[in-house]
């Protein structure tokens, strides 16, 4: 079993977070970004999401092995109590409880900050992500068919929801 600690992310984690995220951008449709963001953009995101929502990293052997954060779900005022959540775990560290632990830290913090509902977008098919989210108490809320195009293919996105 992997031993890891959880802590709030800081801008100094941006390069490690980028390294975890890059394969998902370059090799999979899991992220709909088509170019890996530069380190300064990752730093900006960390600071932004920390200030408005929450952002955590998992550390094992002094290395970031996963991260999770909350961000704006939609921009209109009535959506303010809702948040979109994300979790990524390094490919060689998956299925070790890191994602579940990150959500166990993130979701209560978002509730403390006044958020009411958390939403997770999952590019389908992705049984590992669905299992993680359902283990964290999310339920399927709906699917947008062929909503994104990456690698010359259309991709469906399922939405999972959890009331906080």
């Amino acid at each position: 079993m992997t031993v890891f600690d959880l802590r709030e992310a800081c801008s100094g984690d941006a390069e490690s977070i980028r390294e975890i995220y890059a394969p998902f951008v370059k090799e999979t449709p899991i992220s709909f970004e088509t170019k890996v963001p530069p380190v300064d953009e990752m730093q900006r995101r960390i600071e932004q999401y920390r200030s408005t929502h929450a952002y955590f990293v998992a550390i094992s052997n002094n290395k970031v092995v996963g991260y999770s954060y909350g961000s704006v779900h939609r921009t209109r005022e009535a959506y303010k109590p809702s948040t979109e959540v994300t979790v990524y775990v390094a490919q060689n560290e998956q299925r070790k409880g890191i994602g579940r632990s990150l959500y166990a830290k993130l979701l209560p913090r978002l509730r403390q900050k006044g958020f009411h509902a958390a939403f997770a977008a999952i590019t389908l098919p992705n049984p590992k992500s669905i299992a993680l989210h359902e283990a964290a108490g999310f339920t399927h809320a709906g699917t947008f068919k062929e909503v994104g195009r990456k690698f010359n293919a259309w991709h469906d996105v399922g939405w999972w929801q959890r009331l906080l």
Side-chain angles (χ1 to χ4, degrees):
M1 178 167 198
T2 300
V3 177
F4 55 90
D5 294 311
L6 303 176
R7 66 165 170 75
E8 286 192 43
C10 65
S11 58
D13 296 320
E15 190 169 336
S16 296
I17 288 169
R18 183 180 186 273
E19 287 175 16
I20 292 168
Y21 187 51
F24 293 101
V25 173
K26 292 191 278 189
E27 301 166 13
T28 78
I30 289 171
S31 168
F32 278 0
E33 289 198 81
T34 56
K35 293 185 173 91
V36 179
V39 171
D40 64 332
E41 171 59 16
M42 298 306 277
Q43 290 171 326
R44 186 196 66 74
R45 292 177 189 183
I46 291 166
E47 293 307 317
Q48 177 185 351
Y49 301 152
R50 276 184 57 188
S51 69
T52 60
H53 292 72
Y55 204 129
F56 292 100
V57 292
I59 308 292
S60 179
N61 295 321
N62 297 315
K63 183 177 178 181
V64 175
V65 295
Y67 63 94
S68 66
Y69 60 84
S71 62
V72 173
H73 172 62
R74 304 278 307 235
T75 57
R76 293 200 174 125
E77 188 67 24
Y79 286 111
K80 217 172 192 177
S82 295
T83 179
E84 189 167 333
V85 294
T86 301
V87 65
Y88 282 95
V89 176
Q91 291 178 332
N92 61 338
E93 297 290 340
Q94 294 178 3
R95 313 227 17 111
K96 297 178 181 179
I98 296 168
R100 285 189 308 277
S101 295
L102 282 163
Y103 269 158
K105 185 86 168 168
L106 177 69
L107 297 173
R109 176 69 58 88
L110 292 169
R111 182 178 52 244
Q112 289 171 352
K113 290 186 117 180
F115 292 97
H116 175 71
F119 294 89
I122 302 173
T123 305
L124 302 175
N126 190 336
K128 289 193 291 188
S129 186
I130 291 169
L132 166 63
H133 286 86
E134 290 181 352
F138 287 78
T139 58
H140 185 245
T143 299
F144 294 168
K145 299 288 187 184
E146 297 184 3
V147 69
R149 189 160 175 83
K150 188 172 178 185
F151 303 133
N152 295 312
W154 289 105
H155 300 281
D156 298 346
V157 173
W159 284 91
W160 270 254
Q161 175 183 6
R162 176 180 160 171
L163 298 180
L164 300 174

